[in-house]
Amino acid sequence: MAKRLIPCLNRVLVEKIVPPSKTTAGILLPEKSSKLNSGKVVAVGPGTRDKSGNTIPVGVKEGDTVLLPEYGGTEVKLGEKQYL
C-alpha cells in the first residue's frame, strides 16, 4: 500500500519501527528504554537537481534503517500503518 505514495525530489517515506515491549525471555522492558526513534525506509524520491540540471541522488536507499527526529517529519496514515 505504501508503494502508491511516491516521494518527490529528495524526500523519503519511512515506516516507524515499534520497539518490543518484552524480551524473548518474557522480561518486560520499561518505556524509557524503547524511546529510540528509528524507522525503515520504504520509498525514496529521485533526488534534487543542481544549478546545471544534474540529479543529486539521495543518500539512503529502500530498506535502510534510519534515526528519526523527535518532532520532525510529516505523519501519513495509509490503511492501518503510520509513515513519516
Side-chain angles (χ1 to χ4, degrees):
M1 188 158 208
K3 293 295 180 183
R4 294 189 322 181
L5 189 63
I6 301 169
C8 295
L9 299 176
N10 62 345
R11 310 258 194 242
V12 294
L13 183 65
V14 178
E15 180 179 0
K16 194 169 183 181
I17 296 174
V18 179
S21 60
K22 73 163 110 170
T23 63
T24 55
I27 299 171
L28 294 175
L29 298 172
E31 290 183 25
K32 289 185 180 180
S33 68
S34 61
K35 186 96 170 143
L36 185 63
N37 289 334
S38 61
K40 184 177 180 182
V41 177
V42 178
V44 179
T48 58
R49 298 201 179 256
D50 59 4
K51 292 182 180 180
S52 61
N54 298 327
T55 303
I56 302 170
V58 181
V60 296
K61 59 183 180 212
E62 292 182 17
D64 286 350
T65 302
V66 294
L67 294 176
L68 303 170
E70 190 171 349
Y71 298 109
T74 304
E75 291 190 14
V76 177
K77 188 171 184 180
L78 291 174
E80 295 181 10
K81 293 187 177 182
Q82 284 193 342
Y83 298 96
L84 293 172

